[in-house]
Amino acid sequence: MLVLGIETSCDETAAAVVKDGCEVLSNVVASQIDIHAETGGVVPEVAARAHVLEMVPVLKSALESAKVEIEEIDAIAVTKGPGLVSSLLVGTTAASTLALVGDKPVIPVNHIHSHIMANWLDREKNDFQFPILIVTVSGGHNEIFLMKDYGDFELVGETLDDAAGEAFDKVARMLGLGYPGGPIVSKMAEKGDPERFELPVVLLEKGSLDFSFSGLKTAVLNLVMSVDESERDEQFVADVCAVFQKSVVATFVEKVKRCLEKFDDVKEVHLTGGVSANQQLRAGLADFLEKRGIDFKFPKQIKYCTDNAAMIAACGYFMHCKEPEKYREWQNVVGDPRFLSG
Ligand code: KG4
Ligand code: ZN
């Protein structure tokens, strides 16, 4: 089955063609990073206008590089939310229009669930064993799910305030490193001394599977402000990045440890979302899970960690497999607020 995926929830206009949920035939992303770098974050109105300009060229490019005609597409999967409503409307309008004209099913996909399915890309369906503990971390969200089967996600922990990706972005801003912060902070951290300062590892009460990163963010701000601007040289910035990253990694390792104590039948642990690109986080979890003999997976390619449409197509495929009759009725509902809810 060929699924065309469309993603416009935030600042990436993306389209992809995926075969049977795993085989990526094309994956096109038009990033707006340069536009939003000027404002240090995403301005929704600006993002929506950029999606309007990019949507058709990106769709054409995804079909062309997959060497597939639109008539050969079996279903269209599109991000319905969560995300910026004005941005989501561009993708959902494109999807519904194509679906109506071509008489194809359109599958509205939850963006967070799609990040989870990014781990299926470039793998085989029988590479997976349930239950899977899913740690999904982006700029906008930060959750742990217990996935018992396709489409069966039990939320077991989430952030009470900021997502880890947002903390990376804010720390980068405090240190004048630009946007998006994650890749820059982790690059700087490579040159830093993670032992130079003390920062808290916020674990909340005993046994809690939730997260809180606002205290760590404030602690970084206090640390930065405690040093005179003239002394905040490159080594200082690198050291702050390294200490901050160490705290984030320690938090995730402890939360996964707690999850495995609670759910002792877990067969695999998956890391996914934008922050799963972080090498230290991968290494910290890999090291811990290897000792426990638990299979650990993260996206096969860095481009599957951050927002893309291949993961939307994969998620749509597995949803369609489960309930093939369900998705025809969604063809006419663009503009219905229920369509855009998370
Ligand atoms: O999943 P994503 O593309 O968008 C959201 O749904 O939020 O994630 C973007 C987030 C940003 O906060 C970015 O700073 C973070 O992922 N990120 C990273 C790295 N690469 C991207 N954080 C830490 N280390 C990285 N290497
Ligand atoms: Zn995302």
Side-chain angles (χ1 to χ4, degrees), residues 21 41 52 65 84 95 132 136 166 187 234 247 249 272 278 318 331:
V52 170
S65 40
L84 303 170
I132 304 171
T136 173
E166 197 192 330
K187 189 103 198 82
E234 204 179 319
S247 165
V249 174
T272 181
N278 188 282
F318 286 104
Q331 286 186 4

Side-chain angles (χ1 to χ4, degrees), residues 3-57:
V3 178
L4 171 67
I6 299 177
E7 153 66 33
T8 61
S9 67
C10 189
D11 59 345
E12 261 101 24
T13 316
V17 179
V18 176
K19 191 177 173 197
D20 298 335
C22 297
E23 191 185 334
V24 181
L25 302 189
S26 69
N27 182 31
V28 178
V29 180
S31 171
Q32 302 172 10
I33 280 182
D34 293 345
I35 303 173
H36 302 301
E38 284 175 33
T39 41
V42 179
V43 178
E45 172 74 18
V46 174
R49 283 166 185 257
H51 285 308
V52 170
L53 291 176
E54 293 291 350
M55 191 73 262
V56 171

Side-chain angles (χ1 to χ4, degrees), residues 9 14 19 35 42 68 86 105 144 148 155 164 171 184 202 255 303:
S9 67
K19 191 177 173 197
I35 303 173
V42 179
V68 162
S86 50
I144 304 183
K148 292 175 202 147
L155 180 68
V171 166
I184 317 173
V202 180
K255 293 294 167 174
K303 62 187 176 204

